[in-house]
Amino acid sequence: MKKLWQFILCASLFLAFVFSSMPAFAEPKAIDDWQPAEGLYLRKNANGIPNGRIDVIVAKDFYMNSSVLVGVESRNYTGNSNEGSDMAPRIYIAGTMDASRVVLTHGYSDKRNPAPDPQILPLMTCVVYNATVNNKSITLTPQYFDGAKTKAMRTDPDLAGTYVWQGDYASPSAFMAMAWVRQQNPQLTGLEPGVDYRFEDNFVGDGIEKNYPGIGAIKPSYELKAYDGNRLIMAFLVSQDFKQIYRIKPDGEALLIYNSEGGVG
């Protein structure tokens, strides 16, 4: 038995020497390792009541590049009841996220006093926060202008804080669909870069009949209409899973401008 233990000890030391002398190969780090998991993230107040959420959808383009779409909601609430949080003033704003920041451009505010009265945010809205992704959490902090150290782009209610992943049940929105359309090639969307457009939106559910010539059913989907003033520039159908986008010109001409599986045109 003593010889057996001596053999095991020698073998262990030998293996330790072999592995310690092998070159260390670091696990390759994907370029998009930073990106958050898809799903719902909640921010909670000191009483443990949710007072903010982030919905995350990760869409892949034809070249498998990731685009992270987010919808961020924040409420002015520090109390201890879910009912109170539901009635607190809020802001909902959607946009895109990269490795260091979130840029939000489409949304609404809702003062909730005395009754829900959502107001679309004014044109040219651009809210920018620094973003940090860590262990299925997203932390938003106000971005600072270089040098002046002045807090920039803060909202009321404030979006800052840490939002923790709850599960893969994100709730996409028409505002996220608007941001997704603006991420596409302007030559395909027909929307000029740097020009803000007024959007009207409608959700086309399974029970709603919509007929655009040349387009098969991609329901459920978001129907978006982009206006320059009162002039309709373009309409879009964005599938609810964000995997297809159709462009519809005012004369009814339709074109598939984005398809996660390829085959655009």
Side-chain angles (χ1 to χ4, degrees):
M1 179 64 70
K2 182 177 180 181
K3 289 185 177 180
L4 176 62
W5 281 109
Q6 288 176 338
F7 173 78
I8 293 174
L9 178 60
C10 290
S12 299
L13 291 172
F14 175 76
L15 289 173
F17 171 78
V18 169
F19 284 107
S20 65
S21 53
M22 289 176 64
F25 293 100
E27 187 72 20
K29 185 176 178 62
I31 294 174
D32 59 354
D33 271 358
W34 66 269
Q35 74 185 33
E38 281 195 333
L40 169 66
Y41 295 71
L42 290 183
R43 182 190 67 186
K44 298 181 180 181
N45 65 19
N47 294 314
I49 302 299
N51 65 355
R53 65 182 288 158
I54 298 179
D55 293 287
V56 174
I57 297 289
V58 180
K60 299 279 189 178
D61 66 20
F62 182 70
Y63 299 102
M64 298 306 290
N65 297 315
S66 296
S67 289
V68 179
L69 307 172
V70 295
V72 186
E73 179 183 328
S74 180
R75 309 173 188 176
N76 275 335
Y77 188 72
T78 58
N80 59 6
S81 74
N82 288 294
E83 293 79 7
S85 183
D86 288 341
M87 292 306 297
R90 70 183 67 191
I91 186 172
Y92 179 89
I93 188 165
T96 59
M97 183 178 179
D98 62 25
S100 62
R101 65 177 186 164
V102 58
V103 180
L104 306 166
T105 54
H106 298 83
Y108 70 89
S109 61
D110 186 348
K111 297 306 180 185
R112 294 264 163 173
N113 186 18
D117 183 24
Q119 299 290 325
I120 300 298
L121 295 174
L123 297 179
M124 304 305 292
T125 297
C126 185
V127 176
V128 182
Y129 272 69
N130 293 326
T132 302
V133 178
N134 184 25
N135 193 26
K136 287 195 174 179
S137 69
I138 300 173
T139 300
L140 300 184
T141 55
Q143 189 173 72
Y144 287 82
F145 290 117
D146 291 337
K149 298 299 182 184
T150 303
K151 290 180 180 179
M153 305 300 184
R154 296 198 71 147
T155 63
D156 182 22
D158 190 14
L159 305 177
T162 296
Y163 301 73
V164 179
W165 190 78
Q166 304 296 307
D168 58 357
Y169 36 86
S171 296
S173 70
F175 294 106
M176 293 170 70
M178 293 173 196
W180 188 217
V181 166
R182 294 311 303 263
Q183 291 294 301
Q184 307 307 311
N185 186 338
Q187 293 181 344
L188 293 177
T189 64
L191 303 180
E192 295 183 31
V195 175
D196 215 344
Y197 296 91
R198 176 176 61 86
F199 279 93
E200 290 182 357
D201 65 272
N202 179 43
F203 183 70
V204 182
D206 290 324
I208 301 175
E209 292 297 328
K210 280 284 183 179
N211 182 28
Y212 284 103
I215 297 182
I218 61 166
K219 296 185 288 187
S221 59
Y222 300 99
E223 180 187 54
L224 308 175
K225 294 181 178 180
Y227 291 85
D228 186 358
N230 292 320
R231 182 169 66 96
L232 175 64
I233 302 300
M234 205 72 68
F236 303 91
L237 284 179
V238 182
S239 61
Q240 189 180 25
D241 59 9
F242 291 39
K243 290 185 177 180
Q244 292 90 31
I245 302 176
Y246 284 88
R247 181 199 71 195
I248 303 99
K249 291 184 176 180
D251 63 5
E253 178 190 342
L255 180 70
L256 178 65
I257 64 170
Y258 169 78
N259 185 7
S260 63
E261 305 299 326
V264 174

